[in-house]
Amino acid sequence: MRLRDLLRHIYVLIPVFDFRKHYWIGDEEVEKLLNHGEGWLENHPAKVLITRRYFNKLGRLTRLALDRLDNGEGGVETTMDAAEETTPDGIAAIMSAAAENETFPFRLNTLRLLAVLSELKAGGVHSVIDLGCGEGNLLQLLMKEKTVTAIAGTDVSLSALERAAEKLKLDRLGEEKKPTLFQSSLCYRDKRFKGYDAAAIVEVIEHLDEGRLPALAQVVFGGAAPRMVIVTTPNAEYNANYPGMEAGRFRHADHRFEWNRAQFRAWADAVAARYGYTVRYEDVGAWDEEKGSPTQMGVFTK
Ligand code: SAH
């Protein structure tokens, strides 16, 4: 290898192997990584690991850099795309590896969707509606499941639904395989929410003002009332583990609140009691003895 190329590898890999990169990391670091990684990092098998460690696990910059290394292909990793149908054992193995190892090369969004998928499969559901489906990442996974025969996704944002339709290549699918996509708000009763075995509400409740949550609970648990509901939301306690994140800040500019585990459980317990469900709690992502996991999940069954 030419000395010049070797030095570019070493430039990137020193901070990757040295966990303590103390100086302030600014946006120009993304350019540096892309420049020095050009020609080798795009196709490196440990690309995600190297990028995460280079930024010392700073979520935003890691995502920016990965999105650019992947030519803007965000969302679910290619390894997941390649999978025909995910096996419960395969998902369980991924989840427990991730809980033990913070540098595990799946992004949190993927882990979360796999956790939801695995609960849906364990619940034996055949039809699912994804409430606040965003760009359709969960729908994409569900479409690969042979046992799931009816799928719907809804979101209040039309542009998110357009991106979902594009990602799922709706215009090229036969009628029987096509998920139903429609615009709606979770705060208003809608009969199109009815008739599914399960509903998923993944990273949505924290986008609503807390005062709107009783309406959401009435619409989903009282009105649509599927036999299974899965809700995920950030665990605010875990935020202390994100370097560069100031105390009291939220992970996303549009979040109206982020709850600790006691707050989420108090809300979910009350909703379950009121609408006749039982609820079980699961942690998703790297496990911290004191602060729990980055994502908390409630699995409601009627
Ligand atoms: N579930 C997706 C997207 C989460 S982002 C995923 O996990 O990838 C939150 C989504 O909730 C956004 O797409 C936003 O448009 C949607 N949302 C916010 N308020 C909503 C409401 N009142 N009704 C329906 N969707 C809403």
Side-chain angles (χ1 to χ4, degrees):
M1 176 178 280
R2 290 171 67 180
L3 180 59
R4 190 191 66 182
D5 294 330
L6 181 67
L7 288 173
R8 287 172 38 192
H9 272 70
I10 291 175
Y11 179 91
V12 170
L13 292 178
I14 285 174
V16 167
F17 289 115
D18 172 14
F19 283 97
R20 289 157 309 195
K21 195 180 189 201
H22 281 310
Y23 63 85
W24 190 73
I25 302 174
D27 286 17
E28 67 276 17
E29 285 291 328
V30 174
E31 296 309 322
K32 273 196 213 164
L33 177 70
L34 294 174
N35 284 337
H36 294 294
E38 195 182 338
W40 63 275
L41 186 56
E42 303 91 297
N43 299 316
H44 197 288
K47 173 175 71 182
V48 176
L49 181 77
I50 291 171
T51 308
R52 289 193 61 180
R53 289 223 193 139
Y54 182 83
F55 293 122
N56 203 357
K57 297 176 214 145
L58 266 186
R60 189 176 68 87
L61 291 180
T62 303
R63 223 170 21 249
L64 277 174
L66 282 174
D67 284 352
R68 290 178 59 180
L69 282 166
D70 293 347
N71 291 319
E73 273 294 319
V76 178
E77 274 83 352
T78 40
T79 39
M80 287 308 306
D81 286 342
E84 255 301 288
E85 196 170 3
T86 44
T87 65
D89 285 352
I91 297 176
I94 290 173
M95 303 312 291
S96 59
E100 281 163 26
N101 178 5
E102 277 213 51
T103 54
F104 192 79
F106 280 106
R107 282 167 242 177
L108 181 59
N109 184 253
T110 305
L111 286 176
R112 197 185 285 131
L113 297 176
L114 286 176
V116 172
L117 181 67
S118 112
E119 291 293 344
L120 292 170
K121 285 165 79 109
V125 304
H126 299 297
S127 55
V128 180
I129 182 163
D130 188 11
L131 303 170
C133 62
E135 297 170 17
N137 287 328
L138 180 61
L139 301 175
Q140 194 173 37
L141 286 179
L142 286 168
M143 284 164 69
K144 293 180 187 144
E145 298 296 327
K146 293 189 187 72
T147 53
V148 179
T149 49
I151 302 169
T154 183
D155 201 285
V156 79
S157 155
L158 257 194
S159 59
L161 289 169
E162 275 163 16
R163 285 194 296 276
E166 216 167 280
K167 173 177 283 181
L168 304 177
K169 304 188 172 70
L170 278 202
D171 52 343
R172 280 184 251 162
L173 286 175
E175 276 313 316
E176 74 290 352
K177 257 283 157 196
K178 214 179 252 190
T180 310
L181 285 186
F182 61 94
Q183 189 187 24
S184 195
S185 167
L186 296 176
C187 301
Y188 300 92
R189 194 173 48 208
D190 190 326
K191 52 182 185 305
R192 293 171 294 178
F193 297 163
K194 277 193 188 217
Y196 296 91
D197 294 339
I201 310 176
V202 181
E203 306 295 287
V204 174
I205 60 170
E206 66 277 5
H207 289 265
L208 272 66
D209 290 323
E210 275 193 74
R212 307 296 292 151
L213 292 181
L216 174 137
Q218 173 58 36
V219 164
V220 175
F221 295 87
R227 71 172 163 85
M228 184 174 203
V229 180
I230 300 179
V231 179
T232 78
T233 194
N235 165 21
E237 293 164 71
Y238 196 85
N239 290 350
N241 285 351
Y242 293 126
M245 193 168 163
E246 289 165 41
R249 296 290 295 269
F250 296 148
R251 293 182 200 175
H252 190 282
D254 188 48
H255 286 180
R256 309 302 160 87
F257 61 87
E258 286 179 359
W259 280 338
N260 60 33
R261 284 171 290 176
Q263 288 171 306
F264 177 55
R265 286 168 192 214
W267 173 79
D269 283 347
V271 167
R274 170 148 193 195
Y275 295 102
Y277 284 77
T278 56
V279 57
R280 159 170 64 80
Y281 299 99
E282 301 292 341
D283 308 287
V284 181
W287 171 253
D288 179 302
E289 208 51 60
E290 275 166 33
K291 305 183 193 95
S293 290
T295 295
Q296 40 186 348
M297 176 164 75
V299 182
F300 298 78
T301 42
K302 219 174 168 48

